[in-house]
Amino acid sequence: MKSPLIYVMILLLNVFEFSSGMVYNKREKENHFVCSSEEVPSDNQIIKLFLSMDSLKVYCFFQSESKDTSRAYLSVFTSGGLAPKLIISNSTYHEDFHFNLSLFNNRALWFIDIPRESITVNTDIAAVEEWIIKVTMHKGLNIYDTEGTLLDLVREPILQWTLGSKMSNSQVKKLFPHVIDIKVAKCPCANDVALFGFILNSTYNGVYIGKTISGFRKYNETTWHDLTDIIYSQLKDEHQGLTIIDMVLTNHFLVILTSLGLYVSSDLRYPVTSHIQLSRADFCGFERVDYIKGKLWYNEKCFANRESFEVDYVTITFDRNRTLSESSSCFYSKEPFLHWLPCLPSTFKSARFLPHVVTFLIDQETKTGIYLFHNQNSKRTSVSVSVLKNDIPNSQPKFPNFQFPSSFSYPVGMVFHPRSHFLYVYGNQVWLSMDGGNTFELVCDFLSNYVRKTVHSFYTSAISLITKNGRIYMTKAGLTRYTNSGRFSDNIFTLYYDHLGFIHKLTPERFDTDLSSSGSGTSSTIFGTPPDLGFDTALAPQYLSPNEMIFFAYVPLNETKHKIYKRKFKNIHIGKVINYSKNGNAYIRKLLVHANGPLGFHTSVLTEIIEPFGVEESVESSSVHGSLKISYTGNTFYHIEITTAGSLANFSDADVEKTVVRPGYSSFLITEVRDLKNVLSLATMPHKIKSPLNFPENSWFLYSFGSTKGRNWTISLKPCNYWVQQDDHDIVSLNVVKYLDVGTKANYGLKLIPNTRGMKLLQVPPVIVVVGNPALLEVKTEGYFDVTDSYNLNAHVASKFFHKGSTSLSIIMWEASTSCSITTVLPIMKSSCSYLRTLQHIPGRQIPPEDWISGVHKDSQGFNMIKTLPINYRPPSNMGIFIPLTDNIYHADPSKPRPRSLFHKSKVTGQFKQCYNVPSREMCNCTEHQKFSHAVAFSDCKEKVHRFKFPVTQYPVTLEIFTENEKFAVEPPYLVTMTEVNMRQNWQLKHNMPENIKKMKDYLEPLLNTSVYNPLGLNISIRGSELFHFKVSVVPGVSFCNLEEEFQIYVDEVPLPFPGHTLIAVATSVVLGGLIFVSFIFRLRNIHPLRAFQRYVRRNTANPSTISISSEGKVWIANK
C-alpha cells in the first residue's frame, strides 16, 4: 500500500502547478460578479463593457441571493483587504487593473476608473480584436471569477456608419408575416458586433438589417435600419421583389447579396459620409431568378494588426449550370471586391462534362483554392485543391482529387472553422479535413436528413449543425465526435455564437440566450433537457475483461430494411456514456460494424466500465437460481434450458430481451420464452461456441438492457474529463497569436490534467497537433506523462525562411468530451513582424516620468537635463540659427506667431501635422503618449527633450529590441543606418569595424545609398547647437519588422559661433594690450594719473564758485 504522504505530496504539487497558470474546464462557469459601466447594477449575467474616447468606468458588486447578503460579503472582503482585479486580454495583449479597496460611495459596489490610454493608445478605425475581460478574486482556497467582453466603439469599422434610416419597433413588426428566413453576419474580430437580415417573400420589398454591439443579448438593444433606398439608388429599372438573400461582413467590407444583385460597401475604415455607401457588382447574364438561388462563401479570419499578406476573399455561387455565353456560375474576388473572377480557370471551360461547383474557398494559410464539385449525372462528390498564382487557381490540382463515397449524395456547402485550418464539407453527411482538402474523415451521417447551415464559435471551438428538420447537432472543431443538442419547433430561426461562445437562438420576434455555460453544447435555456441519445432496442452486454464490455445492439431478424438504422449504434454514440437505470455506466470508446454476423447484431460498441452495472435479482427473475444448459438449435438460435428441478428457478415472459452473461463465454440475448424452463436466444459470439455449454448456478449473471417494457438504459454525454492548463505565464488568452521574426523561435506549452473518475488512463498522448501550413515554419513537439498522469505538451516553433505568412497550430484533445468548454486550442503562429516588437534607444541618463511632467531634473552640478522647447520651435539649419529650413515644427500652437520666419526660405517651410487647420493647440488633441513620443510624426505635440551641455562627445547610442517577452541588445547582423531628420550637420558617428562587418557594410551601402554602422560601440559627437533629431533604422533583410527609432538631443550653453567669438576675443585682447601699454608709458615717464586726479579734486574743493542770475537774465560766475 502506498504511503499517504505520497498522495499529499502529489496534491500539493498540483496546487502549486494550478497557481502558476490558467486552468480551463476545471469547473462549470459561474457568475460571481455583476459589472457594468453604470452605477445602477445591471441584471445581465454576461458582462458587456464598451470603450469610448473617455476612460473606462466599471462598477461591480458581488452576486448573491439578496442585496443585504451581497453587502455582507463585500464587508467581509474589504475588511480583509480584498478587492477583485480586472484582467483585460486578447490574443496578443493582457493587463491587470485592480479595483479600489474602499467601496464606492459607501455602497455595495467596487469601482475602477481606467484611462483609455492605459488600455490602448490607438484611435484609428481598423479591425480590432474584442477584448476578453475577467473579474477575479481569491479568498483562501476559493476563486471567484466572471468573464465578459470589452468592445472598442471608437475603432470598430462597421460602427462608424449609419446603415440606413432607423426603423421603429412597429415598423419592424410589420415585416414578420413576410419573413421566410433570416441571415446573420458577424464581425470576424468582434463577434458581439453582428448584423441581422430578414429574407422576405415576394409580397414585400426591401432590405432591412438589424445591428447589435452586445451579441443579440436583448431584442430591444438591436437597432434596425432600412437600406431599401440605398439599394434602389443603384438600380435603373427593376424595383420589385427586393430582399436580402445572403450577407457577409468581412474585416473591412460589407457584402450583401440581394434578389436584385450583389452590393459591396466602400472600405469601412474610411468613412466619408455618415451613411454607408454601396456599389453594385455586375454579373453578365444573371437575373433575379439566379440571385435568389445564390450564396456567399467566406473564410472567416481576423485581421487585427493586419499584415500585408492578409486579405479577405468572398465567393458567390449560383445554383445553375453555366451557359455558353456565361464564363461561370461561380465567381470570387478579394477586397476591395471590385473585380470578380470566375472560379474555374480558362482551361476548365472547354471541358465537355464539367461538374457543378457547389462552392469555392480560398485557403489563406497555404495560398490555395479549394473546390467542392458535384456531378449531377453520377451523383458523385469530390474536392479539388489548386495552388494560387497571382490570385488565380492553377488548372493542375495540388493533390489528387478526393472522391467522397456514393452515400454522400447531397452536398450543401463547405466551410473553414474560423481562424483555423479545419475544413468541413456538409450535406447529408459531414466530413472533416485537417490538411487543406487532401484527405477527409467522416464525422456524421444523417441519411435522409441533411445539414443546411453551420454556425461556429472561435472562442470555444463549438460548431452547431442545423439540419433541415430543425434538429441541432453539436461538435467541436477538430473532433470526430458529435452530439444531439435538441430540436426546435420554430419554422424560422437561426443560431448565433457571441464572442464568449454563448449560443443564441434568433427568431424574427425574439432572441433566446443561453446563460448556462459557454461551449458545453448542453444549453438547458434554449434546448431544454438534453436529449437521450439511446434508441429503442435491446442491448446485449459481453465481457471482454473486468473493465471492458461490448454492447451489441439487437435487430430483430424480421425487421424491415428501412427501420434497421433505428436499431443501430452510430458515430454519434462514440465518446458518450451508457447509463443503466439501476446503477452502473460505461464509456463508449469505439464503434464496431458487423458485416458478417453475428446474426441479429449489426453494430456494437466497445466500452470501458466506469461503475459496474447492476444485475437481475431473484425478485426480478427467478431464473438466476438455476443452472443452465445451452445448445445450438441448428437454425440461428441457441436453446437455453434450466436444468435445476422444481419451481425455484423458472423463466417468465419478463425475461425477453434480457441477457445471460458469463465472463469468458459468449453472452446470450433471450428472444423468446418457450416455457418455464426453456427459452431461445441469440449468441453475441457464436464463433466461440464449439459444443454445448453448462453454466452452473451462481456462475452467470442476468442483465436487463431490454426495451419491451420501456427502455431502462440511456446514452448521455460524458462529463468533462480533462482540465487544460496553459503553460505560458505571459499571455492569459488561450488562443494566442505568436510572432516569429527571421531566425527566431517560440515555445508553446499545455498541460492536460485528467479528471476521469473510475476510468482507465491510457498511456497514449491524448492530443493531436496539426500544423496548417507545414512549409512555413518548422514545428517540433514533445510530450510526456508526469507522476500525476498529467500530459505535458511542448511545441517548439522556429522560423528558418525569409517568407511571410501565418499558420494555425491546432492542438486537438481527441479524448476530451464534447461537454468540455475547451477541447481544441488554436494558437496562431505568424512568420512576420509583431506590432509589439520595437527598436528603442536607451538614454544614457534616466529621468523619472514625474520629472518629465514638471520639466525639471537637475544633475549634481544643478544643470537642468530637460529642455522645454519654445512655442512653434524649429531647429536651425546649416545657413544659420535664424534661418530654419525644416518642415517639422515642435511644440506647435497655431494661435501663436512662428518665430524665426524673417527670411523667405523660412516662411515657405514648416508645416503643421496634427495641428493642421485648427485654431489653437487645445484643438490639436495631443495625447500624453504623443507629447512624450520621439516620432517625427508627432513633432507638433512634442514639448520636452533631453538637454546636454556643449560639446556632446562620444555619446553612446545604445539600442535594444523589445518583444512581448524579452529585450536584447542590438548587435550584428542587425546593422543600422542613422540620419538627422531636419537635415542638420555638425555631428559624427564612430563605430567598431571588424572584418565581417566591413564586408556587410561594403555590400549594403551601395544598395541602400547611405552609410551603414555597427550598433555595437556606436557613439555620436555633436559640435552644433540646439535640437538634433536622429532616426536610427535597422537595415532590411534581417527582420520582417521595419525597426526604426528616433531620439532628440538639445545642445545648450554653446559658445558664440564664428566669427562672433573670434572678434570678441581679438577686441578684448587689443583693449587689454592697450591698457598694459599705456600703464607702461606712464610708469616710464613717471606720470601718476591718480595723484594728478587727487590734486585736481582738492583744488576744486578749495576754490568754490558762485553762480548768480541778474534780472536781465545774465549769468555771473565768481570764484571765491
Side-chain angles (χ1 to χ4, degrees):
M1 183 175 178
K2 296 183 179 180
S3 170
L5 181 61
I6 296 178
Y7 294 100
V8 173
M9 292 175 64
I10 292 175
L11 176 62
L12 291 176
L13 179 63
N14 275 290
V15 168
F16 288 123
E17 287 175 340
F18 290 164
S19 64
S20 65
M22 294 296 297
V23 181
Y24 301 87
N25 295 342
K26 190 175 180 182
R27 60 188 181 276
E28 286 294 328
K29 295 181 180 179
E30 299 178 12
N31 295 325
H32 296 99
F33 300 96
V34 176
C35 303
S36 69
S37 298
E38 301 174 355
E39 294 184 29
V40 179
S42 172
D43 59 350
N44 297 317
Q45 297 187 35
I46 305 176
I47 301 176
K48 302 285 186 182
L49 301 178
F50 305 98
L51 183 63
S52 64
M53 289 300 296
D54 300 325
S55 61
L56 177 66
K57 295 180 173 61
V58 185
Y59 304 85
C60 286
F61 74 93
F62 192 81
Q63 186 164 278
S64 186
E65 297 83 5
S66 64
K67 291 184 178 180
D68 294 336
T69 309
S70 177
R71 181 181 293 275
Y73 273 116
L74 262 69
S75 299
V76 173
F77 294 148
T78 53
S79 61
L82 295 176
K85 68 177 178 180
L86 178 68
I87 302 174
I88 302 178
S89 65
N90 58 23
S91 60
T92 59
Y93 163 90
H94 87 280
E95 192 63 61
D96 297 352
F97 302 94
H98 294 270
F99 282 83
N100 298 330
L101 283 175
S102 57
L103 297 181
F104 178 72
N105 290 342
N106 293 323
R107 297 168 57 189
L109 289 172
W110 283 297
F111 174 70
I112 188 172
D113 189 349
I114 307 172
R116 177 184 173 89
E117 291 184 1
S118 299
I119 304 173
T120 178
V121 297
N122 298 316
T123 57
D124 58 309
I125 301 173
V128 58
E129 193 173 3
E130 187 173 0
W131 289 287
I132 302 294
I133 66 168
K134 179 177 286 189
V135 182
T136 182
M137 183 176 65
H138 291 201
K139 184 180 186 299
L141 297 178
N142 296 320
I143 301 176
Y144 305 101
D145 57 20
T146 301
E147 281 189 332
T149 58
L150 174 63
L151 177 65
D152 193 341
L153 300 177
V154 176
R155 304 189 65 197
E156 186 58 43
I158 192 64
L159 301 182
Q160 315 310 316
W161 298 80
T162 301
L163 297 184
S165 58
K166 287 190 177 182
M167 302 174 62
S168 63
N169 291 334
S170 60
Q171 290 175 313
V172 175
K173 289 180 180 179
K174 291 180 180 179
L175 302 176
F176 294 163
H178 309 280
V179 177
I180 58 175
D181 203 354
I182 49 182
K183 287 290 181 180
V184 171
K186 58 184 177 182
C187 176
C189 295
N191 289 169
D192 281 346
V193 179
L195 304 179
F196 182 100
F198 288 130
I199 301 179
L200 307 176
N201 57 25
S202 58
T203 62
Y204 210 92
N205 281 348
V207 173
Y208 307 98
I209 293 178
K211 180 173 67 177
T212 181
I213 61 173
S214 57
F216 297 115
R217 176 174 54 178
K218 291 183 178 180
Y219 195 92
N220 57 8
E221 291 180 348
T222 303
T223 57
W224 297 92
H225 301 271
D226 184 355
L227 282 74
T228 306
D229 291 339
I230 299 176
I231 300 295
Y232 281 164
S233 65
Q234 300 293 320
L235 295 174
K236 296 180 180 179
D237 300 318
E238 187 177 8
H239 285 186
Q240 295 299 316
L242 175 63
T243 182
I244 285 181
I245 301 298
D246 207 346
M247 183 169 50
V248 165
L249 181 59
T250 70
N251 287 273
H252 308 132
F253 292 86
L254 173 62
V255 183
I256 303 175
L257 175 62
T258 73
S259 56
L260 299 182
L262 181 68
Y263 295 86
V264 181
S265 72
S266 58
D267 196 322
L268 300 175
R269 294 171 295 174
Y270 309 111
V272 292
T273 62
S274 59
H275 287 272
I276 196 166
Q277 303 295 311
L278 299 177
S279 60
R280 190 173 188 266
D282 292 325
F283 297 95
C284 181
F286 291 89
E287 300 176 352
R288 184 180 186 277
V289 66
D290 303 309
Y291 286 116
I292 60 176
K293 295 181 180 179
K295 291 183 180 179
L296 297 179
W297 308 93
Y298 172 57
N299 184 2
E300 183 181 319
K301 299 280 187 180
C302 174
F303 292 157
N305 311 311
R306 184 184 181 185
E307 305 287 344
S308 59
F309 54 83
E310 293 178 327
V311 61
D312 275 322
Y313 291 84
V314 172
T315 300
I316 181 173
T317 58
F318 299 97
D319 190 15
R320 73 166 185 175
N321 293 328
R322 65 182 178 93
T323 64
L324 294 177
S325 62
E326 296 165 353
S327 61
S328 179
S329 60
C330 170
F331 301 87
Y332 73 100
S333 178
K334 71 175 184 179
E335 56 180 289
F337 307 112
L338 298 177
H339 305 287
W340 293 81
L341 304 175
C343 302
L344 294 174
S346 57
T347 53
F348 273 97
K349 297 176 185 178
S350 59
R352 183 176 179 183
F353 299 104
L354 187 64
H356 172 64
V357 181
V358 179
T359 184
F360 173 72
L361 292 177
I362 300 295
D363 181 0
Q364 288 103 324
E365 291 191 22
T366 59
K367 302 297 186 294
T368 57
I370 305 176
Y371 298 90
L372 176 60
F373 290 127
H374 180 64
N375 193 312
Q376 297 176 349
N377 295 323
S378 63
K379 303 298 182 184
R380 296 302 298 269
T381 305
S382 62
V383 163
S384 178
V385 182
S386 297
V387 177
L388 295 179
K389 186 176 182 180
N390 298 325
D391 295 324
I392 298 176
N394 197 318
S395 58
Q396 296 297 323
K398 182 179 181 180
F399 315 114
N401 291 357
F402 182 86
Q403 297 288 338
F404 294 98
S406 58
S407 57
F408 187 32
S409 58
Y410 190 76
V412 173
M414 180 170 61
V415 62
F416 274 104
H417 184 71
R419 312 189 206 181
S420 78
H421 209 237
F422 299 129
L423 179 64
Y424 286 87
V425 174
Y426 60 92
N428 65 309
Q429 295 176 346
V430 176
W431 293 77
L432 168 63
S433 173
M434 301 186 191
D435 54 11
N438 184 23
T439 60
F440 284 84
E441 186 176 359
L442 179 66
V443 177
C444 47
D445 188 349
F446 297 108
L447 301 176
S448 59
N449 195 13
Y450 66 89
V451 177
R452 64 180 181 89
K453 185 188 299 183
T454 64
V455 186
H456 302 253
S457 168
F458 167 73
Y459 185 70
T460 61
S461 299
I463 303 174
S464 285
L465 309 173
I466 305 175
T467 60
K468 181 64 176 178
N469 63 5
R471 191 170 293 278
I472 311 299
Y473 297 88
M474 197 278 292
T475 184
K476 290 297 188 106
L479 297 185
T480 55
R481 300 169 182 169
Y482 70 106
T483 186
N484 185 354
S485 297
R487 186 173 186 174
F488 293 142
S489 58
D490 303 82
N491 294 326
I492 302 171
F493 74 91
T494 192
L495 295 178
Y496 157 82
Y497 286 100
D498 65 14
H499 198 74
L500 281 179
F502 289 98
I503 191 169
H504 304 248
K505 185 183 77 169
L506 310 180
T507 64
E509 301 88 359
R510 69 183 185 280
F511 299 155
D512 295 329
T513 303
D514 166 34
L515 300 177
S516 54
S517 60
S518 64
S520 65
T522 57
S523 168
S524 58
T525 308
I526 294 179
F527 298 107
T529 304
D532 175 17
L533 301 179
F535 46 98
D536 290 330
T537 194
L539 300 184
Q542 167 76 56
Y543 272 105
L544 293 182
S545 71
N547 297 319
E548 290 181 313
M549 182 179 281
I550 293 181
F551 283 90
F552 291 83
Y554 171 55
V555 179
L557 300 182
N558 58 353
E559 188 67 270
T560 57
K561 286 187 178 181
H562 68 278
K563 292 184 178 180
I564 290 178
Y565 78 94
K566 295 182 178 180
R567 296 179 180 268
K568 295 167 65 175
F569 285 108
K570 304 176 182 65
N571 286 346
I572 194 173
H573 298 118
I574 300 175
K576 309 303 185 299
V577 175
I578 297 178
N579 305 287
Y580 185 41
S581 58
K582 282 187 176 181
N583 60 280
N585 47 59
Y587 169 55
I588 300 175
R589 286 194 175 276
K590 190 175 182 180
L591 170 64
L592 305 173
V593 179
H594 310 294
N596 300 314
L599 292 177
F601 306 105
H602 292 216
T603 57
S604 63
V605 289
L606 174 63
T607 67
E608 178 184 338
I609 300 174
I610 301 174
E611 181 181 350
F613 293 100
V615 298
E616 294 291 275
E617 302 291 342
S618 57
V619 296
E620 297 161 318
S621 178
S622 61
S623 62
V624 298
H625 289 302
S627 299
L628 304 181
K629 180 181 179 181
I630 305 173
S631 58
Y632 183 53
T633 63
N635 185 21
T636 305
F637 294 96
Y638 285 81
H639 177 262
I640 301 178
E641 178 187 358
I642 296 178
T643 58
T644 303
S647 60
L648 183 61
N650 292 322
F651 288 114
S652 66
D653 291 338
D655 292 330
V656 174
E657 293 190 349
K658 293 181 181 180
T659 307
V660 174
V661 179
R662 185 181 183 186
Y665 296 84
S666 172
S667 298
F668 299 89
L669 177 69
I670 299 173
T671 59
E672 181 183 347
V673 176
R674 289 286 183 89
D675 54 39
L676 295 178
K677 297 293 185 180
N678 299 278
V679 296
L680 294 180
S681 65
L682 291 172
T684 57
M685 294 185 174
H687 60 283
K688 289 189 172 291
I689 305 173
K690 306 299 183 182
S691 60
L693 303 174
N694 292 290
F695 290 175
E697 181 183 355
N698 297 326
S699 68
W700 59 278
F701 310 103
L702 190 66
Y703 286 94
S704 177
F705 286 90
S707 61
T708 55
K709 294 184 178 179
R711 187 157 46 88
N712 52 11
W713 59 273
T714 60
I715 298 180
S716 62
L717 289 178
K718 181 178 65 173
C720 186
N721 56 337
Y722 276 100
W723 297 344
V724 182
Q725 181 179 355
Q726 189 178 16
D727 189 21
D728 192 337
H729 309 297
D730 300 317
I731 298 293
V732 175
S733 176
L734 189 65
N735 301 310
V736 302
V737 174
K738 287 182 174 288
Y739 291 85
L740 287 91
D741 205 349
V742 178
T744 61
K745 299 179 181 180
N747 298 320
Y748 187 82
L750 282 181
K751 175 183 283 189
L752 303 184
I753 306 164
N755 180 30
T756 51
R757 180 181 60 86
M759 290 180 58
K760 178 183 177 181
L761 289 175
L762 302 177
Q763 292 298 306
V764 177
V767 297
I768 301 172
V769 179
V770 179
V771 182
N773 184 6
L776 181 65
L777 298 170
E778 183 182 81
V779 180
K780 295 181 180 179
T781 60
E782 59 182 11
Y784 61 92
F785 288 93
D786 59 21
V787 294
T788 64
D789 285 329
S790 298
Y791 187 76
N792 297 265
L793 173 71
N794 295 301
H796 308 285
V797 188
S799 173
K800 293 191 174 181
F801 314 102
F802 194 74
H803 182 64
K804 281 189 174 184
S806 68
T807 179
S808 58
L809 184 66
S810 307
I811 302 174
I812 309 159
M813 288 158 268
W814 61 271
E815 269 284 282
S817 168
T818 54
S819 61
C820 295
S821 295
I822 303 299
T823 61
T824 306
V825 184
L826 292 169
I828 305 298
M829 302 294 167
K830 286 190 176 184
S831 178
S832 181
C833 174
S834 169
Y835 74 100
L836 296 175
R837 189 180 183 90
T838 58
L839 176 69
Q840 294 188 19
H841 165 251
I842 308 301
R845 304 174 297 183
Q846 297 296 327
I847 299 177
E850 55 271 16
D851 289 355
W852 276 111
I853 296 174
S854 65
V856 178
H857 181 83
K858 296 184 178 181
D859 60 10
S860 57
Q861 283 78 35
F863 179 76
N864 188 9
M865 300 165 65
I866 299 176
K867 173 66 176 180
T868 301
L869 298 174
I871 299 294
N872 294 327
Y873 170 78
R874 285 192 292 165
S877 69
N878 298 328
M879 300 181 68
I881 292 179
F882 294 99
I883 312 177
L885 301 179
T886 178
D887 283 333
N888 301 316
I889 300 176
Y890 299 81
H891 201 174
D893 187 346
S895 64
K896 301 292 179 61
R898 287 167 53 175
R900 298 180 177 179
S901 296
L902 300 177
F903 300 92
H904 175 72
K905 288 187 176 181
S906 299
K907 292 179 180 179
V908 298
T909 55
Q911 301 294 328
F912 290 123
K913 303 182 186 73
Q914 185 136 340
C915 296
Y916 177 74
N917 207 22
V918 297
S920 64
R921 181 171 179 79
E922 289 73 19
M923 300 296 291
C924 298
N925 295 324
C926 290
T927 64
E928 291 300 317
H929 169 75
Q930 293 170 341
K931 290 179 180 179
F932 291 103
S933 172
H934 298 290
V936 68
F938 302 131
S939 64
D940 284 9
C941 301
K942 187 69 174 177
E943 297 178 356
K944 303 178 181 71
V945 295
H946 284 273
R947 182 170 177 250
F948 289 77
K949 281 186 178 181
F950 180 89
V952 178
T953 305
Q954 294 187 353
Y955 172 76
V957 182
T958 305
L959 301 172
E960 291 184 352
I961 293 178
F962 285 73
T963 67
E964 301 93 321
N965 305 317
E966 62 175 348
K967 65 177 181 179
F968 56 91
V970 178
E971 57 186 26
Y974 291 92
L975 302 185
V976 299
T977 63
M978 191 165 174
T979 58
E980 208 286 329
V981 300
N982 295 311
M983 300 173 293
R984 300 199 62 188
Q985 299 177 3
N986 298 330
W987 57 276
Q988 185 178 9
L989 284 174
K990 291 185 179 181
H991 65 129
N992 299 323
M993 187 65 68
E995 186 62 28
N996 60 335
I997 301 299
K998 186 176 185 302
K999 291 181 179 179
M1000 297 176 63
K1001 176 182 173 70
D1002 294 340
Y1003 173 75
L1004 289 171
E1005 285 184 344
L1007 297 176
L1008 302 178
N1009 198 26
T1010 187
S1011 299
V1012 176
Y1013 303 96
N1014 179 9
L1016 285 181
L1018 185 65
N1019 60 74
I1020 188 171
S1021 298
I1022 302 176
R1023 303 295 298 177
S1025 64
E1026 297 196 14
L1027 183 66
F1028 285 81
H1029 189 154
F1030 297 103
K1031 182 177 182 179
V1032 185
S1033 304
V1034 174
V1035 296
V1038 296
S1039 172
F1040 289 128
C1041 301
N1042 183 23
L1043 294 174
E1044 296 180 344
E1045 171 64 329
E1046 299 177 36
F1047 64 95
Q1048 293 101 1
I1049 293 177
Y1050 192 95
V1051 183
D1052 214 346
E1053 298 188 3
V1054 182
L1056 287 175
F1058 180 85
H1061 183 272
T1062 303
L1063 291 175
I1064 293 175
V1066 170
T1068 303
S1069 300
V1070 170
V1071 171
L1072 289 176
L1075 291 175
I1076 294 173
F1077 177 76
V1078 171
S1079 299
F1080 173 76
I1081 294 299
F1082 285 175
R1083 191 76 173 175
L1084 182 65
R1085 300 294 182 181
N1086 199 20
I1087 299 174
H1088 302 282
L1090 181 61
R1091 293 178 183 175
F1093 178 75
Q1094 290 174 347
R1095 285 196 298 270
Y1096 173 77
V1097 171
R1098 285 197 296 269
R1099 184 170 60 249
N1100 289 339
T1101 303
N1103 302 296
S1105 299
T1106 301
I1107 300 175
S1108 61
I1109 301 174
S1110 66
S1111 59
E1112 291 83 5
K1114 297 181 179 180
V1115 180
W1116 299 92
I1117 302 176
N1119 292 324
K1120 295 183 180 179

